[in-house]
Amino acid sequence: MTFKDHFSARAALYAAYRPHYPAQLFTYLSGLVRSHALAVDCGTGSGQAALGLAEHFDRVVAVDPSAGQLANATPHDRIEYRLARAESTGLPSGSADLVVAAQCLHWLETDAFFRESKRLLAPHGVIAVWGYGDPVLPTESLDRTLRLFNRGLLEPYWFAERALLLDGYRTIEFPFVELSAPEFELRMHWSLAELVGYLRTWSAVANFVAERGTDPVIEVERDLARDWGDPAVQRLIRWPLHLRAGTTDRRPRAPVESPRPAGDTAT
């Protein structure tokens, strides 16, 4: 298996400008499991999902094969960052209450990753995979400008794996007992500069620059500025979030009590 490293060169941008996941997502995930000793975040990147998990689990091991990404990850007392692949974490069998892969399943060798997840999961453990689609801007004119950039100019420069993400991972065989999951949405209030920083994290932008030698974001930033108004004003950006969750346990699942915050020893 070959590691497809599309993001190390932009690791600092990725850490600074990727959107954060909603707190409600991690509350939902922690409510699926009976124990909150260990969560494993596979393909952690710069740790956005790991930070959310750390609010609910006593320990989080976050693995990624990119040293550049891990170098930009946010330190946390309950997070251990490890240089490792999602398909081969090196963690003990049956040790994880929750295994997640956030915004990266389309880059993984899915059969190998799912085998590794089954090995890692403790009894009654849960796996959750999710990713987010195209951003939606707050006005029709702004959204149309970004859509023309994303689905027009950049379309030939996206990797084919992105189609798996845009399909909500529904075309990937999911060899677990699937659990019903609510719908979630990412929301960020960003200035124009923050949105532009995010656009520069896109793999399609990197591919465009590598082939043509020019930065396509410069022109779309100018186009967006016409309708943005004061560029310092923060506007609402939304992304649809696609989530699949499952378990290896085929027995009926008893209701799980609301989890205590990580580190809370009250009984």
Side-chain angles (χ1 to χ4, degrees):
M1 295 181 294
T2 302
F3 165 44
K4 300 174 182 178
D5 190 358
H6 302 308
F7 300 102
S8 288
R10 296 178 177 233
L13 283 171
Y14 200 98
Y17 293 113
R18 281 286 167 144
H20 298 288
Y21 302 112
Q24 297 91 331
L25 169 64
F26 299 105
T27 300
Y28 163 75
L29 293 174
S30 64
L32 294 177
V33 296
R34 301 181 181 183
S35 171
H36 298 86
L38 174 65
V40 180
D41 178 19
C42 296
T44 191
S46 47
Q48 285 92 344
L51 291 169
L53 293 169
E55 296 300 313
H56 298 274
F57 287 81
D58 298 327
R59 180 177 174 230
V60 177
V61 176
V63 303
D64 199 278
S66 167
Q69 288 277 34
L70 294 178
N72 285 275
T74 303
H76 191 287
D77 289 345
R78 287 192 291 275
I79 301 175
E80 176 190 347
Y81 292 104
R82 288 190 180 189
L83 187 67
R85 296 194 58 170
E87 301 90 343
S88 181
T89 63
L91 294 168
S93 298
S95 61
D97 302 300
L98 177 68
V99 173
V100 308
Q103 196 66 7
C104 67
L105 184 63
H106 49 299
W107 300 121
L108 304 182
E109 299 284 347
T110 54
D111 289 345
F113 168 63
F114 289 146
R115 283 196 302 272
E116 176 71 351
S117 297
K118 288 179 178 180
R119 186 188 69 80
L120 288 175
L121 286 174
H124 312 298
V126 169
I127 179 174
V129 298
W130 70 84
Y132 50 89
D134 291 339
V136 179
L137 300 193
T139 71
E140 183 178 347
S141 58
L142 287 170
D143 197 54
R144 181 173 59 252
T145 297
L146 185 57
R147 201 163 55 243
L148 288 171
F149 174 69
N150 180 10
R151 295 301 186 93
L153 180 67
L154 292 185
E155 188 66 32
Y157 297 91
W158 285 110
F159 289 104
E161 290 90 341
R162 180 170 170 78
L164 299 172
L165 170 62
L166 296 180
D167 287 337
Y169 295 146
R170 291 291 160 185
T171 56
I172 294 177
E173 184 177 355
F174 193 59
F176 300 90
V177 179
E178 192 145 8
L179 305 174
S180 176
E183 293 185 359
F184 293 97
E185 185 178 70
L186 278 70
R187 291 173 169 242
M188 298 292 291
H189 285 87
W190 275 349
S191 67
L192 180 58
E194 289 171 313
L195 174 61
V196 166
Y198 163 69
L199 298 181
R200 287 202 168 97
T201 69
W202 286 2
S203 57
V205 169
N207 292 338
F208 186 103
V209 172
E211 181 174 312
R212 297 198 182 185
T214 60
D215 181 0
V217 177
I218 293 173
E219 185 173 348
V220 75
E221 180 180 11
R222 184 170 59 246
D223 293 341
L224 289 168
R226 296 191 188 104
D227 295 315
W228 194 277
D230 182 350
V233 169
Q234 292 186 322
R235 291 180 171 270
L236 175 64
I237 319 296
R238 299 180 293 115
W239 295 259
L241 190 146
H242 311 296
L243 170 67
R244 299 185 75 177
T247 177
T248 58
D249 188 356
R250 294 189 174 277
R251 292 172 294 176
R253 295 175 62 82
V256 178
E257 294 182 4
S258 298
R260 60 178 172 79
D264 182 359
T265 57
T267 58

